[in-house]
Amino acid sequence: MDKKYLYLFSEGNGSMREILGGKGANLAEMMNLGMPVPYGFTVTTEACNKYYDDGEKIADEVVAEIFAYLEKLESLAGKKFGDPHNPLLVSVRSGARASMPGMMDTILNLGMNDDVVKGVAELTNNPRFAWDSYRRFIQMFADVVMGLPKSRFEEIIDEMKARKHVTMDTELDAEDMKEMTLRFKAFYKESLKEDFPSDAKDQLIRAVEAVFRSWNNPRAEFYRRMNDIPSSWGTAVNVQMMVFGNMGNDCGTGVAFTRNPSTGEKKLYGEFLMNAQGEDVVAGIRTPQHIDQLKELSPQAYAQFVDICGKLEAHYKDMQDMEFTIEKGKLYMLQTRNGKRTAAAALKIACDMVDEGTLSKEEALMKVEPKQLDALLHPQFDAADLKAATPIAKGLPASPGAACGKVVFTAEQAQQEAALGHKVILVRLETSPEDIEGMHVSEGILTVRGGMTSHAAVVARGMGACCVAGCGDLNMNEEEGYFEVNGVRYTADDFISIDGSTGNVYAGAIKTVPASISGDFERFMKWADETRKLKVRTNADTPKDALQALSFGAEGIGLVRTEHMFFEGDRIKAMREMIVSKTTEQRKRALAKLLPMQRSDFEGIYEAMQGFPVTIRYLDPPLHEFLPTSSYDIANLAADMHIDLDDLKAVIASLHEFNPMMGHRGCRLAISYPEIAEMQTTAVIEAAINVAKKHPEWHLTPEIMIPLVGDVNELRFVKNIVVKVADELIAKAGIDMKYLVGTMIEIPRAALLADEIAEEAEFFSFGTNDLTQMTFGFSRDDAGSFLNDYYDKKIYEQDPFAKFDQHGVGKLVANAAKLGRATREDIHLGVCGEHGGDPASIEFFHKVGLDYVSCSPFRVPIARLAAAQAAIKNK
Ligand code: PEP
Ligand code: MG
């Protein structure tokens, strides 16, 4: 049998997301549940993938199947495509496996042409509706299929409103709509040198192709990269009989959530507009009414809707985000999906659903996206400062958080300012999907128009960015780049603060305070801790970072990068002296200056970690990173060291390396200059002894980590130094102290020979940053400059430095773990590269049986949850 590329909604079900996409599968499921869903069919994701495999061409067999299904739809609907006397009109909407709100395209009212519009006018006795539907179709088709700018159409509408002295679309009459339709068509023809297509089947195929194409539009690609969605998934296309919310005042359309997506409160939450079509609500062009008001305007439809909401939530065991339309008092469901929500709402809903008996704790743990927790870990407004501040305006609290920054008026400005390191608040009349990259780099988003379900609100919530929407108090002039409130003008030079939890907008910057884990968050994280197998440590170089990580639940430090302490104040001087030393004696003198600093740093870290394990890594980076570069600094160093300026310059020149990342760094430094390892061992062990004397109950066991080992002999050489110095110090102190010596596995050769290395190493920590760099042969500092080409050409979809390459580098890690354990059964295995905080990577580390991951303090809660999810998924 030929491959099946199409399914009627009645042929599908909720478990078929992979081929029907989320929207198609859920429409089928709702239909199976007996809910009022307009008839339709889904063109599968496989048809989309075929379209790309065939060189962006829709295959004849798919076209034939679409026409066959169209006939089935016609007979179900009792209407005919393109028939003016009984026309079928359809919507064409994208629907990928994972929901990607607003990223791809939708076309409504397809099937309209000059004859059909007249038929619709007669049949409905509502010419205004007929022409309104037609002009909307032209607008959407022109934009989505032909790529004409939306703005020209908006201008024509604005010109019409101005001429008629009205402000709302609903105040335009049938003749106005007709005139606009004709002008739209004229603009279409003038721009594209062809007539607007009148054949309904032609319209349909071109629309399906456009939806397939939209899978690869830049904003969809960006969204996919942000959300780890592979391009190989493709999108499905849903073709559905139109029902009309714009047919009169007993019609309407809306979107609703079964719970509040911002706070998680268990209360139906949504918005609708009477006499409107879907995009009017989400585009934020008219400010919609609250769902409660529907009770008065359309009581029957409201009651049925409330009933359906309850059923859907119970069925999916999750908060639902639904779209509906009311046509002449009758309710239709157009979509349901698990709703996007803020992190705070996600936690509240998860905890509430466990309390309500809907979810088990494990099910609840799977409902929260680990990366989302990040939004809860960042500063909030200082309560006192906030109280003292007076809001200048108030909008809708669309996505919580505290944000302050410089005002910017376009997504491009946001990107430019952010690239300069400035914090910005993106202020727009309304946002559109094209703004996504600018929104991503902004601290917060403030819009003048639009409701809680507007594009800005939905996208901001998805990103965890703070957003205040629909702030009509702002008198905005986007072109000239300012807004006014109460007669005061704010331009791109001003700072503002916005509070996404209250909707308040303030002039100036308000002080912020760090976040803490409490309430639902704390309860939820406890469940995660009970479930996970992986331990979670942190990468921290200072007591401050260590304390931060501890408050976020870290169970130790997996990596102290000792060199980071050498950049500050006077230390850099001693460090530079050490580096430019010509003799061992000189170098030892400089190291002696560094010893007390390093010892006290380690004491601080041991104290902060209160007995949790701490892994200290020895000096790693190329030495030239510490050298002065400006002639002023070089002259100062020469004077400080009482050496000749030219001599110093010669030393600096001699330290030049062509490829420093592969140069004199890591354990190679200790091999050339054993006194560095001696000093660092002295600092580690003396610090541990000092702290152990105060806190014997902590049983401190220093973990000493040797970086960049590629051969067991390298490790053996450095370990001998460590053991000699450490044993002497411990014996002298008369204390019973154990310590461990281990290594990083970050050179492919080490991973291949891990069985030999484990003879000396008591633990391995996978340095996946260097391991990725050296396995790919991509410089970690330079890859950013060409990776975009790799994404464009579909060679790689993800930055391997951010998302662990399980396929390639993963083989090395899995193999090294196995080899390490074969030599030393109880060898402790962890990872301390950046990937230790990335959820998908964490799942891999769980699967290959590592003992812990170590990540930056702010990613510790994310890693705790990701580790729990990995344990649940791989039971
Ligand atoms: C690594 O290479 O993964 C690592 C943690 O070390 P660094 O990033 O300091 O090179
Ligand atoms: Mg490294």
Side-chain angles (χ1 to χ4, degrees), residues 43-199:
V43 187
T44 63
T45 54
E46 290 172 341
C48 174
N49 288 335
K50 182 169 172 56
Y51 169 84
Y52 282 106
D53 291 346
D54 292 348
E56 306 204 12
K57 199 180 159 309
I58 187 159
D60 292 345
E61 60 186 292
V62 175
V63 172
E65 212 179 334
I66 291 176
F67 291 153
Y69 271 74
L70 192 57
E71 274 180 31
K72 294 187 192 192
L73 180 59
E74 285 175 334
S75 78
L76 284 169
K79 296 178 180 188
K80 232 174 146 35
F81 215 37
D83 176 358
H85 304 296
N86 184 23
L88 171 68
L89 298 181
V90 296
S91 64
V92 178
R93 308 168 85 191
S94 60
R97 218 192 282 186
S99 98
M100 298 171 60
M103 289 305 117
M104 288 176 298
D105 295 324
T106 290
I107 299 174
L108 303 180
N109 311 332
L110 189 139
M112 273 287 185
N113 61 30
D114 293 353
D115 296 328
V116 169
V117 69
K118 287 178 197 142
V120 173
E122 268 172 41
L123 282 166
T124 58
N125 205 10
N126 189 343
R128 181 192 184 280
F129 156 73
W131 287 101
D132 183 30
S133 303
Y134 192 14
R135 66 94 192 163
R136 286 169 188 269
F137 170 52
I138 297 170
Q139 239 173 306
M140 284 184 263
F141 189 93
D143 166 33
V144 173
V145 181
M146 308 307 291
L148 287 185
K150 282 190 216 139
S151 54
R152 179 61 199 134
F153 294 100
E154 297 296 339
E155 274 167 28
I156 296 175
I157 299 174
D158 287 342
E159 283 161 21
M160 191 59 141
K161 286 195 217 161
R163 213 173 75 207
K164 304 288 287 199
H165 305 293
V166 299
T167 53
M168 310 253 282
D169 299 7
T170 43
E171 294 169 296
L172 296 172
D173 64 19
E175 278 308 307
D176 304 331
M177 290 293 172
K178 184 172 174 181
E179 188 182 329
M180 285 198 303
T181 307
L182 298 179
R183 291 187 63 189
F184 283 3
K185 281 181 68 179
F187 169 62
Y188 184 98
K189 183 163 184 183
E190 185 187 299
S191 311
L192 298 167
K193 312 286 174 246
E194 64 179 48
D195 284 323
F196 187 79
S198 61
D199 178 59

Side-chain angles (χ1 to χ4, degrees), residues 436-447:
I436 181 158
E437 295 189 52
M439 293 172 77
H440 189 55
V441 298
S442 300
E443 299 296 306
I445 296 135
L446 171 62
T447 69

Side-chain angles (χ1 to χ4, degrees), residues 559 561 617 620 665 744 746 767-770 780 832-833:
L559 174 62
R561 290 177 163 104
R617 179 183 73 183
D620 179 60
R665 59 172 289 221
M744 296 190 68
E746 51 185 345
T768 51
N769 302 335
D770 273 309
R780 42 199 274 204
C832 64

Side-chain angles (χ1 to χ4, degrees), residues 687-859:
I689 291 172
N690 292 345
V691 176
K693 281 184 182 156
K694 280 193 254 165
H695 294 285
E697 72 285 6
W698 288 349
H699 303 291
L700 285 185
T701 307
E703 296 180 6
I704 292 170
M705 181 153 77
I706 311 303
L708 227 71
V709 162
D711 189 286
V712 66
N713 285 330
E714 287 176 305
L715 178 60
R716 191 171 289 133
F717 179 89
V718 185
K719 187 178 166 185
N720 284 341
I721 300 167
V722 171
V723 169
K724 183 165 176 292
V725 175
D727 287 355
E728 267 174 34
L729 290 170
I730 292 169
K732 204 165 96 199
I735 200 169
D736 177 25
M737 177 174 280
K738 300 212 164 13
Y739 62 91
L740 301 175
V741 182
T743 185
M744 296 190 68
I745 301 288
E746 51 185 345
I747 290 184
R749 192 171 191 277
L752 295 167
L753 300 174
D755 47 350
E756 293 178 11
I757 290 178
E759 282 165 17
E760 295 295 336
E762 293 172 281
F763 62 86
F764 286 167
S765 178
F766 290 96
T768 51
N769 302 335
D770 273 309
L771 194 58
T772 299
Q773 162 166 269
M774 300 202 201
T775 305
F776 276 78
F778 283 180
S779 153
R780 42 199 274 204
D781 302 308
D782 303 321
S785 67
F786 56 79
L787 275 174
N788 275 333
D789 298 333
Y790 275 64
Y791 307 145
D792 285 349
K793 314 242 151 84
K794 304 263 176 303
I795 294 170
Y796 293 138
E797 286 184 27
Q798 297 285 348
D799 177 352
F801 292 103
K803 196 171 167 209
F804 185 65
D805 165 45
Q806 302 182 16
H807 187 58
V809 185
K811 274 198 184 149
L812 286 172
V813 170
N815 192 45
K818 218 163 89 197
L819 290 175
R821 286 216 166 102
T823 302
R824 190 187 287 264
E825 211 178 321
D826 62 349
I827 191 165
H828 200 226
L829 303 175
V831 55
C832 64
E834 278 308 293
H835 307 94
D838 172 65
S841 313
I842 289 170
E843 187 179 348
F844 175 82
F845 300 132
H846 169 91
K847 283 201 273 199
V848 297
L850 302 194
D851 297 301
Y852 70 90
V853 294
S854 186
C855 56
S856 60
F858 279 89
R859 297 215 282 175

